[in-house]
């Protein structure tokens, strides 16, 4: 399986390609839409990779096969929290552990930086719900009609994971 790494601004073209593929083929899996992102310049994707941790994995030919993003809340009272966004694995790469590896990389990066992680997942997305549950996330509620795609409304399950405290500094 492809190795998961923290993406850099130089990965923008491959990441853009993967993200637009996801927005086109699994629109219900994202809060953003294809129309919002497909015409944005490459610099926008590079800036995003430079300003927030995004993980990805590429196959032997350099095609990016999976990604997940990690965000951090900023305000004084909420900066103990992070959130996951943009989890996507290309259909041909699914079922081989890449989603789990991406999630583990994001959780490892968040551990010691924040105390808890949250995410939203469309209520009928059984694969993603199972992936997150298996990683320790638990559901704490449902937002009815969280997304509207055309005339269709989708409910989202809200999930959270408590993280262990940062390891004590040596000495
Ligand atoms: C959800 C998604 C990221 C899973 O990626 P993946 O690489 O196929 O997942 P993995 O192979 O790492 O599987 C890890 C765990 O997820 C769960 N899982 C993955 N695919 C599943 C499926 N089709 N049905 C049920 N559980 C599934 C299982 O618990 C699995 O662990 P197990 O194999 O030990 O049982 C992928 O299906 C995807 O990109 N879907 C479309 C976009 C999407 O839904 N993103 C999430 C938005 S919140």
């Amino acid at each position: 399986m492809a190795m998961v790494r923290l993406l850099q601004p130089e990965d923008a073209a491959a990441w853009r390609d993967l993200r637009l593929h996801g927005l086109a083929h699994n629109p219900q899996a994202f809060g953003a839409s294809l129309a919002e992102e497909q015409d944005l310049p490459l610099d926008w994707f590079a800036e995003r990779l430079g300003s927030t941790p995004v993980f990805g994995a590429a196959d032997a030919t350099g095609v990016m096969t999976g990604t997940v993003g990690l965000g951090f809340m900023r305000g004084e009272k909420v900066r103990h929290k992070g959130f996951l966004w943009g989890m996507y694995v290309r259909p041909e790469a699914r079922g081989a552990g890449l989603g789990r590896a991406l999630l583990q990389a994001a959780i490892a990066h968040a551990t010691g930086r924040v105390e808890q992680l949250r995410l939203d997942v469309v209520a009928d997305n059984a694969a993603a719900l199972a992936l997150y549950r298996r990683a320790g996330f638990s559901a704490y509620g449902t937002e009815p009609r969280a997304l509207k795609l055309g005339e269709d409304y989708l409910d989202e399950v809200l999930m959270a994971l408590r993280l262990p405290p940062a390891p004590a500094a040596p000495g």
Side-chain angles (χ1 to χ4, degrees):
M1 194 189 35
M3 206 179 73
V4 172
R5 62 185 176 82
L6 191 57
L7 300 182
Q8 303 299 321
E10 302 77 60
D11 296 306
W15 184 63
R16 175 182 187 275
D17 192 56
L18 174 62
R19 187 160 165 87
L20 295 186
H21 187 279
L23 290 169
H25 293 90
N26 285 98
Q28 73 289 351
F30 297 87
S33 76
L34 181 64
E36 285 168 332
E37 294 194 13
Q38 64 183 352
D39 298 323
L40 293 173
L42 193 56
D43 278 356
W44 184 86
F45 294 88
E47 277 163 25
R48 207 155 177 203
L49 293 182
S51 62
T52 189
V54 178
F55 300 86
D59 69 14
T61 67
V63 172
M64 203 165 285
T65 47
T67 185
V68 69
L70 175 61
F72 297 113
M73 309 282 283
R74 289 181 193 279
E76 186 181 343
K77 295 178 183 172
V78 290
R79 65 187 178 206
H80 61 295
K81 296 190 285 190
F83 57 93
L84 296 178
W85 56 272
M87 167 69 84
Y88 185 69
V89 172
R90 285 191 194 268
E92 60 273 21
R94 288 179 195 165
L98 181 52
R100 187 190 355 248
L102 288 160
L103 195 52
Q104 279 169 356
I107 292 170
H109 191 89
T111 301
R113 290 182 165 87
V114 286
E115 296 173 26
Q116 59 194 65
L117 281 176
R118 60 170 310 283
L119 60 84
D120 303 332
V121 52
V122 168
D124 67 0
N125 189 345
L129 281 166
L131 167 69
Y132 299 135
R133 282 209 183 94
R134 217 167 164 83
F137 279 83
S138 50
Y140 64 89
T142 300
E143 183 183 351
R145 295 188 161 210
L147 298 179
K148 187 175 182 183
L149 276 78
E151 294 309 307
D152 296 329
Y153 295 94
L154 301 172
D155 297 350
E156 282 190 328
V157 176
L158 317 176
M159 304 188 90
L161 174 71
R162 283 278 188 91
L163 299 174

